[in-house]
């Protein structure tokens, strides 16, 4: 009480506050009451539990612990609020109940201090569920000053850099990350119930394949070898399908040396799964079922709202081929375009920039990105991509220029990417050779030939469906979060020293 707010206090006042807090700590230590010497505290309940089960707990003793966020001293009796994982709860602290000396100590406690409260559950005259304290235990002394209580921490840059303060001051931020954990837990439950096993594969790799992205390079001192951080989980998980594990998935960090924006972070959480003896149709069924399950389980309904727009995950997802989507939204039929040169002429006519090494398939993809993505609000499977932009995907038997691939779009975002996996080692070697040539021609995101992976395919991989999901983007959708940094506890930030 009575401290100037950190955001408004003159620098000298703030420095005095910080000095006072250290002096209080020194006084406690000199008196043999050093809070940092306490190693544990027996917490019996959390705030929300007490409110939810008040009828059972009224008059009974509980112990809670958390951070003091409010204090009002009124002579021989005071009120304070303690914030824990589930929220906050009020405590009534009276000198006659906790003792004269502990009450003197309590009056010196600061907002931000962490302490435990033991006492009986009751309701105040105004009907607020509270704890009538009989014992207070200071567990940690806060030596800094929290932001002004009623406005919270609103500076987004500071929220991302000091997530620990954001979690204290902004309950909605804490709820987002609690929900993120729940989403991942429910994904695991869904897949485990379908017979998938969770595995772990290397992050440091000699060949960062499985996606079109620039990798981070590093050096392995012990082996004196240059290695890369993985950009995908694909090639190792497919090796496990070769090994007979049939249904595998991994949830893990991948790293792409690319830009940062509202939907991209250089390191992010990817989930990939592979299922033997199915194809991309099977992956569509699994994806639609899983997204519907997550919405119903985590959000309570198959209808969710993002940025004020209702998205219905309960009805069957629309299906469009990439060619038909471009025909629908741009009025161009690329089935009538024979060559890359003709496609580039169309690109010029429509003001779409391309690079000299781009194929017809690349141009098709550029048209899709320009004209179609922005239209795909409700769940839509975009299917049957061009062969040249899908080096790890099985060709469509009815049209060898296209592949059995789909991407799911929701709210204009790509939510996942799935294939009927290419399991022909001869075809795969040819595709790798094309990717090597594309890299030599200037495509830094091209794949490279992976001889061990080709050897695995030569051992024999069954028909397989595979898919990759961006977990962070999925969390954004289900928590109505505006930017990927809002769902990453510690997003990539430019150093303040730069």
């Amino acid at each position: 009480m009575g401290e100037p707010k950190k955001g408004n206090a003159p620098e000298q006042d703030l420095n005095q506050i910080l000095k006072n807090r250290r002096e209080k700590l020194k006084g406690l230590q000199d008196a043999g009451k050093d809070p940092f010497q306490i190693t544990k505290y027996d917490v019996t309940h959390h705030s929300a539990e007490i409110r939810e089960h008040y009828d059972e707990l009224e008059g009974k003793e509980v112990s809670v612990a958390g951070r003091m966020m409010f204090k009002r001293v009124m002579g021989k009796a005071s009120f304070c609020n303690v914030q824990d994982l589930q929220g906050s709860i009020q405590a009534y602290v009276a000198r006659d109940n906790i003792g004269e000396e502990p009450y003197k100590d309590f009056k010196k406690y600061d907002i931000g201090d962490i302490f435990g409260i033991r006492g009986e559950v009751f309701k105040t005259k105004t009907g607020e569920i509270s704890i009538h304290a009989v014992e207070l235990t200071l567990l940690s002394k806060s030596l800094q000053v929290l932001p002004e209580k009623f406005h919270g921490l609103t500076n987004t840059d500071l929220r991302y850099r000091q997530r620990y303060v954001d979690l204290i001051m902004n309950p909605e931020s804490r709820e987002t990350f609690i929900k993120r954990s729940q989403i991942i837990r429910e994904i695991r439950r869904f897949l485990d119930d379908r017979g998938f096993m969770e595995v772990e594969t290397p992050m440091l790799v000699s060949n960062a394949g499985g996606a079109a992205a620039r990798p981070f390079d590093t050096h392995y001192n012990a082996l004196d070898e240059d290695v890369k951080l993985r950009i995908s989980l694909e090639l190792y998980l497919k090796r496990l399908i070769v090994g007979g594990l049939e249904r595998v998935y991994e949830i893990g960090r991948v790293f792409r040396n690319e830009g940062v924006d509202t939907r991209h972070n250089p390191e992010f959480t990817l989930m990939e799964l592979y299922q033997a003896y199915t194809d991309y149709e099977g992956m569509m069924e699994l994806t639609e079922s899983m997204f519907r399950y997550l919405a119903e389980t985590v959000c309570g309904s198959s209808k969710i709202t993002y940025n004020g727009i209702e998205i219905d995950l309960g009805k069957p997802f629309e299906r469009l081929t990439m060619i038909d989507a471009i025909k629908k939204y741009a009025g161009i039929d690329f089935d009538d375009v024979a060559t890359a040169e003709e496609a580039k002429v169309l690109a010029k006519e429509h003001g779409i920039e391309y690079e000299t090494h781009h194929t017809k398939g690349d141009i098709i993809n550029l048209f899709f990105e320009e004209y179609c993505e922005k239209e795909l609000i409700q769940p839509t499977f975009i299917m049957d991509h061009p062969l040249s932009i899908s080096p790890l995907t099985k060709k469509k038997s009815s049209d060898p220029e296209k592949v059995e691939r789909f991407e799911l779009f929701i709210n204009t975002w790509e939510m996942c990417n799935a294939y009927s996996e290419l399991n022909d080692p001869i075809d795969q070697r040819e595709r790798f050779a094309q990717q090597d040539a594309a890299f030599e021609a200037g495509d830094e995101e091209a794949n490279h030939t992976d001889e061990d992976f080709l050897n695995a395919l030569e051992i024999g991989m069954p028909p397989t469906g595979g898919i990759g999901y961006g977990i962070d983007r999925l969390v954004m959708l289900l928590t109505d979060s505006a930017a990927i940094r809002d769902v990453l506890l510690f997003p990539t930030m430019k150093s303040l020293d730069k």
Side-chain angles (χ1 to χ4, degrees), residues 281-469:
E281 293 279 354
M283 293 295 98
M284 275 188 257
E285 182 281 320
L286 182 148
T287 298
E288 188 168 335
S289 297
M290 186 176 75
F291 274 59
R292 190 168 297 134
Y293 168 81
L294 291 173
E296 291 171 349
T297 306
V298 177
C299 303
S301 170
S302 61
K303 291 182 178 179
I304 63 171
T305 300
Y306 186 89
N307 195 27
I309 298 172
E310 184 178 89
I311 296 171
D312 190 352
L313 297 168
K315 63 183 181 183
F317 294 4
E318 185 179 2
R319 299 186 180 195
L320 276 175
T321 68
M322 183 173 275
I323 296 295
D324 285 344
I326 296 170
K327 196 185 305 182
K328 179 177 180 179
Y329 295 113
I332 297 169
D333 187 352
F334 272 94
D335 278 340
D336 294 335
V337 178
T339 66
E341 286 67 31
E342 290 178 37
K344 289 176 180 177
V345 169
L346 279 172
K348 283 183 181 178
E349 290 173 356
H350 289 79
I352 292 178
E353 295 183 6
Y354 60 88
E355 298 178 30
T356 54
H357 64 267
H358 277 161
T359 64
K360 174 186 168 183
D362 292 310
I363 303 297
I364 290 172
N365 195 48
L366 290 172
F367 266 86
F368 173 78
E369 291 174 351
E370 176 68 25
Y371 286 97
C372 305
E373 288 187 2
K374 62 189 177 186
E375 306 290 343
L376 304 177
I377 306 296
Q378 298 302 319
T380 306
F381 289 120
I382 297 297
M383 308 158 51
D384 301 352
H385 295 51
L387 172 65
S388 60
I389 62 168
S390 309
L392 299 165
T393 315
K394 186 169 287 191
K395 296 175 185 176
K396 286 184 70 69
S397 57
S398 59
D399 186 350
E401 288 300 309
K402 301 184 180 72
V403 294
E404 294 190 355
R405 173 184 174 187
F406 74 80
E407 294 169 291
L408 172 63
F409 282 83
I410 303 175
N411 188 47
T412 76
W413 305 344
E414 176 201 333
M415 303 300 298
C416 64
N417 187 18
Y419 311 151
S420 295
E421 301 298 334
L422 179 61
N423 61 342
D424 178 344
I426 297 171
D427 190 355
Q428 182 64 81
R429 182 174 290 280
E430 292 173 357
R431 306 242 205 127
F432 273 145
Q434 293 166 7
Q435 289 288 297
D436 287 332
F439 181 80
E440 292 299 324
D443 185 355
E444 295 181 22
E445 296 184 348
N447 281 243
H448 298 276
T449 299
D450 186 326
E451 289 293 346
D452 183 72
F453 177 65
L454 288 170
N455 185 65
L457 290 187
E458 289 179 356
I459 295 291
M461 186 175 85
T464 298
I467 192 164
Y469 304 89

Side-chain angles (χ1 to χ4, degrees), residues 161-212:
R161 291 184 188 278
Q162 297 185 14
R163 182 67 80 187
Y164 42 91
V165 181
D166 178 40
L167 293 170
I168 293 167
M169 300 307 301
N170 295 319
E172 66 278 5
S173 180
R174 187 164 60 248
E175 286 302 313
T176 292
F177 290 105
I178 290 171
K179 187 175 275 191
R180 179 188 174 107
S181 178
Q182 183 186 1
I183 290 166
I184 293 173
R185 183 170 67 249
E186 294 301 335
I187 288 172
R188 286 190 166 105
R189 179 174 288 126
F190 177 88
L191 293 176
D192 293 348
D193 287 347
R194 286 193 171 214
F196 284 82
M197 62 181 288
E198 186 172 8
V199 298
E200 295 173 305
T201 61
M203 290 190 181
L204 291 173
V205 295
S206 58
N207 186 346

Side-chain angles (χ1 to χ4, degrees), residues 130-181:
S130 307
I131 299 172
H132 193 142
V134 297
E135 181 185 68
L136 296 178
T137 306
L138 182 64
L139 303 171
S140 180
K141 180 69 186 163
S142 176
L143 302 180
Q144 272 288 355
V145 181
L146 293 174
E148 201 271 314
K149 179 181 186 298
F150 295 102
H151 295 96
L153 182 61
T154 56
N155 181 305
T156 54
D157 187 75
L158 191 59
R159 285 180 59 206
Y160 301 144
R161 291 184 188 278
Q162 297 185 14
R163 182 67 80 187
Y164 42 91
V165 181
D166 178 40
L167 293 170
I168 293 167
M169 300 307 301
N170 295 319
E172 66 278 5
S173 180
R174 187 164 60 248
E175 286 302 313
T176 292
F177 290 105
I178 290 171
K179 187 175 275 191
R180 179 188 174 107
S181 178

